[in-house]
Every structure is written in C-alpha cells, then in structure tokens.
Amino acid sequence: MNRINQKLQEDKKILSIYFSAGYPNLNDTVQIIQDLEKSGIDMIEIGLPFSDPLADGPTIQASSTQALHNGMTTQVLFDQLKDIRKTVSIPLVIMGYFNPMLQYGIENFCQKCAEIGIDGLIIPDLPVDVYADEYKATFEKYGLKNIFLITPQTSDERIHFIDSVSDGFIYMVSSASVTGSQSGFGSTQEAYFKRIADMNLKNPQVIGFGINNKETFDQAVQFAKGAIIGSAFIQHLTENSTRKIEEFVKEIR
C-alpha cells in the first residue's frame, strides 16, 4: 500500500510540512527531511522550485527564487533524494508546477519518483480533467498519488469529480488567497470546512494555506484529517537555517 494511504488510515490528525528544496542552502534538502521526521512530522511536501509559482505567496516565492539561484533543478533534487529511503519512512510528496515536469518528460519524471520512493505529487496548475484524460494511467503505473486542490470557489460538481479520480487525499485550500497571506480562520472559512466535511467524500481532506501555529492547526483539524504548514516553516528556516526544527514542530502540537 502507498505510504500516503497507510498514514491516512492511522487514528490521528496529520501534520504535513512544506518547504522549498534547496533552501536555505542547496544541500539542506535531505537534512531538513530527516530532521522533520525525527521531530514527529507525518508527511512532507518537497517544493520543486519554479520561476513562476502562481499559487505561492511572497514567503514561498522568495524561498523558491533563492533555491533556483542556489542551483536547484529537477535533476539536482532527484540526485539529492536518491538514497532518502535509507533513512526516512514517512510519506514524501513533491509539490511543483507542471512545466518542469513536462520538460523532464512525464514518464521519466514519474519513473524517477518511483525509483527514489516519492509517494505522490501536487501540481496546482494541472487541471483534473487533463490529468484524467492524459496522465492518470502513467501516474498509476508508477504508484504515484496525484493530489488535487479545491478552494471555496470550487463547485460541488467539480469536487465530486476530483474525488472520483483521486486515491489519496484532497488538498483543501482554506481561502481564495495565495499561501501565507492570512492569520486565523473566520466563520466563512469554518462554514466552508464544514460544507466539505458534510459532503462525505471518499478521500480524506487535508487543509493548507493559512496554517501557521497551534491555534490554526487545531482549528483546521476539527474539520479535516490533517493540515499543512508551509510559509510559517519557510520563515522559520529563513530565521534559523536548519536549526531548531524540533522546537518549531513542538509549538504546533
């Protein structure tokens, strides 16, 4: 069974952390992953830096830009992760935009992910219908879960379609804004969380965007299987480099 599915079956709320590969320094990627697992994180999203990150707020954009300047590329990331499964057992997801994957070759990209032990992909700019028609078979051939995003503006019809072609979790964007641009959840967002929970989808939901401390994590997991922290952890890396990762995690739960 895919590690994502195994993790989702555990009787606990999931805490996932996102960071940009190659940030703050090019060769920090593996150490950050190892330290996050040792700190009790349930799942890690490894950001593949891209020059035009549409969904990302300024904090993640800046880290992505710095990672590119550091020399991070798709091939460098694969080289860094080639032995990751010798030391890390939790689910690993690559989050990135479609263009670099297309340039690498979708089949080659998926094959390489399978070889090094990547469990899933999050590709914000790959439409679900295009995925279903053109790429689903390739992803499944290599045992990769493709994780789709929904927002408060996503129609019920499209949510049900996303649910039907998914076999992992649904990434529930907390608001229509970019990452890292809000603090706390109001009644409108809680109503959205409850609406999705009441749809009884077959895939569990994990909430991202706006989770930055224990309060927002606890709020989110009232309505979902887990939550994702990105910008707040990137800010921690900016201020502390790779130090004090365990302290950051302990403050969340």
Side-chain angles (χ1 to χ4, degrees), residues 148-162:
F148 289 99
L149 282 67
I150 63 170
T151 75
Q153 284 70 43
T154 307
S155 68
D156 286 3
E157 180 184 18
R158 194 158 186 83
I159 291 170
H160 282 299
F161 180 56
I162 287 170

Side-chain angles (χ1 to χ4, degrees), residues 30-47:
V30 170
Q31 183 191 337
I32 290 170
I33 293 170
Q34 292 170 338
D35 288 352
L36 284 170
E37 181 176 51
K38 288 173 190 167
S39 301
I41 292 301
D42 299 297
M43 183 161 55
I44 298 172
E45 294 172 20
I46 305 161

Side-chain angles (χ1 to χ4, degrees), residues 58-221:
T59 301
I60 293 179
Q61 280 192 24
S63 70
S64 184
T65 299
Q66 183 60 53
L68 291 171
H69 288 159
N70 291 346
M72 180 52 67
T73 66
T74 303
Q75 189 58 54
V76 168
L77 178 59
F78 284 149
D79 291 343
Q80 288 181 349
L81 297 180
K82 67 182 189 301
D83 295 320
I84 196 67
R85 285 304 175 192
K86 292 180 180 177
T87 57
V88 172
S89 61
I90 60 174
L92 298 176
V93 176
I94 288 180
M95 183 170 185
Y97 293 87
F98 195 52
N99 189 275
M101 300 176 192
L102 202 58
Q103 289 184 351
Y104 197 86
I106 298 303
E107 179 108 15
N108 290 339
F109 190 92
C110 291
Q111 182 177 2
K112 200 69 182 172
C113 285
E115 285 175 7
I116 62 180
I118 297 298
D119 303 292
L121 298 171
I122 300 172
I123 312 169
D125 58 342
L126 176 60
V128 61
D129 37 4
V130 174
Y131 166 76
D133 291 342
E134 299 183 31
Y135 301 111
K136 188 170 187 283
T138 304
F139 278 56
E140 291 178 346
K141 174 181 174 182
Y142 293 103
L144 295 168
K145 306 298 179 184
N146 197 20
I147 312 303
F148 289 99
L149 282 67
I150 63 170
T151 75
Q153 284 70 43
T154 307
S155 68
D156 286 3
E157 180 184 18
R158 194 158 186 83
I159 291 170
H160 282 299
F161 180 56
I162 287 170
D163 192 43
S164 73
V165 300
S166 299
D167 179 30
F169 65 90
I170 292 174
Y171 189 132
M172 200 168 144
V173 176
S174 66
S175 73
S177 62
V178 296
T179 56
S181 60
Q182 62 201 60
S183 178
F185 299 122
S187 57
T188 302
Q189 285 162 314
E190 290 201 352
Y192 158 59
F193 297 161
K194 187 173 187 309
R195 174 173 73 85
I196 302 301
D198 289 345
M199 290 176 74
N200 295 314
L201 303 173
K202 72 180 177 74
N203 290 278
Q205 300 90 58
V206 180
I207 297 175
F209 291 49
I211 319 290
N212 50 31
N213 54 25
K214 179 173 173 52
E215 179 188 1
T216 46
F217 175 77
D218 289 345
Q219 257 187 300
V221 298

Side-chain angles (χ1 to χ4, degrees), residues 199-252:
M199 290 176 74
N200 295 314
L201 303 173
K202 72 180 177 74
N203 290 278
Q205 300 90 58
V206 180
I207 297 175
F209 291 49
I211 319 290
N212 50 31
N213 54 25
K214 179 173 173 52
E215 179 188 1
T216 46
F217 175 77
D218 289 345
Q219 257 187 300
V221 298
Q222 288 179 46
F223 302 94
K225 177 64 178 175
I228 301 158
I229 294 178
S231 296
F233 183 64
I234 298 280
Q235 189 62 40
H236 175 85
L237 292 176
T238 300
E239 294 170 2
N240 301 281
S241 189
T242 57
R243 299 183 303 276
K244 302 182 181 178
I245 286 177
E246 186 174 4
E247 287 93 325
F248 177 87
V249 174
K250 281 181 176 175
E251 288 179 4
I252 306 300

Side-chain angles (χ1 to χ4, degrees), residues 1-9 119 143 145:
M1 183 189 292
N2 183 287
R3 294 179 195 87
I4 293 172
N5 299 106
Q6 286 180 319
K7 182 61 67 174
L8 292 168
Q9 287 182 5
D119 303 292
K145 306 298 179 184

